[in-house]
Amino acid sequence: MLQRLNLKWKVLAIIATGPLVIAVIFSWYRVGDIRNGAENAIVAKSEAIVLMAEATRQEMSKKRESGIMRPFDEIDESKVLQAVPVITAINTAAINAQKATCPRPFP
């Protein structure tokens, strides 16, 4: 089959193959770069949520220690769990995590 092709088509095929191979390599590299950028953005957003939750927990703990919040034995049993600083931080993180999620899952 290759012997039946004209010299013009053989040269044209060789010339077209180089840019095509380079385009495929660059496309593959760019897709990987975009994927890494998306993963880094998700990690950064998650770190911000965790830092915010930790700050909330610390502030709630300071309020408890300074006496702003009532002792747990003075709070109604059904609401005592909400007075725990870690639970407040978890609830805050869950609310902000729902707001910060991507519209579609990352493959």
Side-chain angles (χ1 to χ4, degrees), residues 5 8 12 15-16 22 63-64 69 74 81 90 92 100:
L5 283 178
K8 177 175 78 171
L12 187 61
I15 290 173
I22 290 173
K63 288 177 184 180
R64 171 72 177 101
M69 293 176 53
E74 295 177 11
L81 192 60
I90 289 171
T92 306

Side-chain angles (χ1 to χ4, degrees), residues 26-80:
F26 281 163
S27 296
W28 185 270
Y29 176 75
R30 186 65 185 141
V31 166
D33 190 38
I34 291 170
R35 183 177 303 270
N36 288 338
E39 287 176 2
N40 291 339
I42 291 171
V43 167
K45 194 178 286 190
S46 299
E47 287 175 349
I49 291 170
V50 169
L51 289 173
M52 180 268 317
E54 178 64 18
T56 303
R57 187 201 62 78
Q58 288 175 351
E59 285 300 311
M60 289 292 292
S61 180
K62 286 179 187 175
K63 288 177 184 180
R64 171 72 177 101
E65 290 171 358
S66 68
I68 294 174
M69 293 176 53
R70 293 185 308 194
F72 294 143
D73 58 353
E74 295 177 11
I75 299 174
D76 183 26
E77 287 184 24
S78 64
K79 297 179 182 180
V80 73

